[in-house]
């Protein structure tokens, strides 16, 4: 069973994963593998609107020499360029790891409609695990958040990566 995390303004709803949700998360996992192959933490993200990928990305902080080059930010930048606008209403962001505070803030400012993530991040997650940035009722934009899609696959990918570095 999956849970939709939501602000007090949006009703809490239970949803099964759709075939499209699974398809796009599998693509995000492929991008995470690409990040890992480049020596980056394996996180991938895909931004979809109207059934079309409008932006994707994977972690690149080391290669880009840019602390903000997280997968979500890469996907938002690509989608903004594709759409000709930094605001992306009606879009869904699929990401293999629960967004951090920085990414959550960017997601809210971009007016992303929904975030679907794989593994929860018990250290820096900003969709309810540690911080409530994405689901805060204080924002003027409400993001629907659904976590746990392919959480085992995403979590295993991250654990293997960090185990290999220890």
């Amino acid at each position: 069973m999956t849970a939709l995390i939501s602000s007090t303004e949006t009703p809490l709803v239970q949803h099964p994963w759709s075939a499209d949700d699974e398809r796009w998360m599998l693509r995000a996992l492929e991008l995470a593998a690409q990040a890992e192959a480049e020596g980056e933490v394996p996180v991938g993200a895909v931004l979809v609107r109207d059934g079309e990928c409008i932006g994707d990305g994977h972690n690149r902080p080391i290669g880009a020499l840019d602390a903000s080059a997280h997968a979500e930010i890469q996907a938002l930048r690509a989608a903004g360029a594709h759409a000709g606008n930094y605001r992306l209403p009606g879009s869904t962001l699929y990401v293999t790891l629960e967004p951090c505070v920085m990414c959550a803030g960017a997601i809210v400012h971009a007016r992303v409609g929904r975030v679907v993530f794989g593994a929860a991040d018990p250290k820096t997650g900003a969709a309810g695990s540690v911080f409530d940035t994405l689901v805060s009722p204080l924002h003027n934009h409400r993001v629907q958040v659904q976590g746990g899609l392919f959480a085992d696959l995403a979590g295993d990918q991250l654990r293997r990566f960090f185990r290999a570095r220890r």
Side-chain angles (χ1 to χ4, degrees), residues 33-85:
Q34 186 176 342
E36 183 174 12
E38 294 173 12
E40 304 276 0
V41 175
V43 179
V46 179
L47 195 64
V48 175
R49 185 163 57 186
D50 298 326
E52 174 192 358
C53 174
I54 59 171
D56 62 19
H58 61 279
N59 268 6
R60 296 201 62 245
I62 297 166
L65 304 174
D66 179 358
S68 70
H70 287 194
E72 300 95 323
I73 301 298
Q74 299 296 331
L76 289 169
R77 287 175 179 161
H82 174 84
N85 194 332

Side-chain angles (χ1 to χ4, degrees), residues 121-141:
D121 185 344
K123 293 186 179 184
T124 64
S129 288
V130 179
F131 303 103
D132 292 328
T133 308
L134 265 185
V135 296
S136 173
L138 301 174
H139 294 300
N140 63 343
H141 172 70

Side-chain angles (χ1 to χ4, degrees), residues 10-120:
T10 306
L12 186 63
V13 179
Q14 300 285 331
H15 288 290
W17 303 115
S18 72
D20 282 340
D21 289 338
E22 292 179 359
R23 171 184 167 213
W24 294 116
M25 185 61 80
L26 288 172
R27 175 65 183 135
L29 286 162
E30 290 172 0
L31 290 164
Q34 186 176 342
E36 183 174 12
E38 294 173 12
E40 304 276 0
V41 175
V43 179
V46 179
L47 195 64
V48 175
R49 185 163 57 186
D50 298 326
E52 174 192 358
C53 174
I54 59 171
D56 62 19
H58 61 279
N59 268 6
R60 296 201 62 245
I62 297 166
L65 304 174
D66 179 358
S68 70
H70 287 194
E72 300 95 323
I73 301 298
Q74 299 296 331
L76 289 169
R77 287 175 179 161
H82 174 84
N85 194 332
Y86 76 96
R87 290 199 173 165
L88 304 162
S91 63
T92 298
L93 178 68
Y94 296 90
V95 61
T96 59
L97 181 65
E98 180 180 1
C100 70
V101 172
M102 174 185 68
C103 293
I107 290 164
V108 169
H109 286 289
R111 305 298 194 264
V112 171
R114 178 176 173 237
V115 171
V116 177
F117 67 86

